[in-house]
Amino acid sequence: MVEAAPELPPEPPAPPPPSVEASAAPEPLPEPPPAPEPAPEPVPEPEPAAPAAMTAIGVPAAVGTPDNLLLIKGMGPKLNTLLASLGIVRFDQIAAWSAEECAMVDAHLGAFQGRIARDAWVDQAGLLATGQIAAFEARYGKLDNPGG
């Protein structure tokens, strides 16, 4: 007699096939975290400005070509030469003098002391440095040699 094989329990039903919608688009991958921002470049400290060049007597030195200081009323050749020897050769240089700087220069003028204030060099030089010839002439008289 042939023995019959024991009966096996029925197999569970197969799961339904995935829907078309689910298989059409794969599930998106999670976004990676944003990369950390790079550290900002260190900003170098600004270089300290070079101190302004000074003359031997301690007033700011001239920058640029010399002006004809003989245009300043009361300035003669000897005084002009003396100022040049002190490093003073430009209108804008004189125009920028403070009261303290005027006193420093005046102390080096010898027989010409007092002329800076008496002849209003700072005001005259300011007008000449900025090309205000009409204002200069209205205040101090006609220029002796405007082109020179």
Side-chain angles (χ1 to χ4, degrees):
M1 181 169 153
V2 177
E3 276 187 36
E7 277 192 43
L8 295 174
E11 288 189 27
S19 70
V20 175
E21 293 172 11
S23 65
E27 195 172 305
L29 296 174
E31 288 188 32
E37 290 190 29
E41 291 285 324
V43 178
E45 290 291 321
E47 292 289 323
M54 302 299 271
T55 64
I57 63 170
V59 295
V63 177
T65 58
D67 290 319
N68 181 4
L69 298 185
L70 294 171
L71 295 177
I72 294 175
K73 299 293 181 174
M75 180 80 60
K78 286 184 181 180
L79 192 49
N80 184 51
T81 300
L82 176 59
L83 288 177
S85 74
L86 298 173
I88 300 160
V89 295
R90 290 186 50 89
F91 297 134
D92 58 355
Q93 186 182 16
I94 296 170
W97 286 347
S98 66
E100 179 181 271
E101 290 165 332
C102 287
M104 287 172 30
V105 174
D106 198 54
H108 290 86
L109 296 184
F112 299 107
Q113 282 186 351
R115 298 288 288 275
I116 295 172
R118 185 174 64 236
D119 293 337
W121 287 4
V122 174
D123 187 55
Q124 288 189 62
L127 294 170
L128 293 169
T130 56
Q132 298 180 55
I133 305 304
F136 177 92
E137 290 183 339
R139 251 182 245 171
Y140 300 106
K142 186 149 177 61
L143 283 173
D144 295 327
N145 185 8

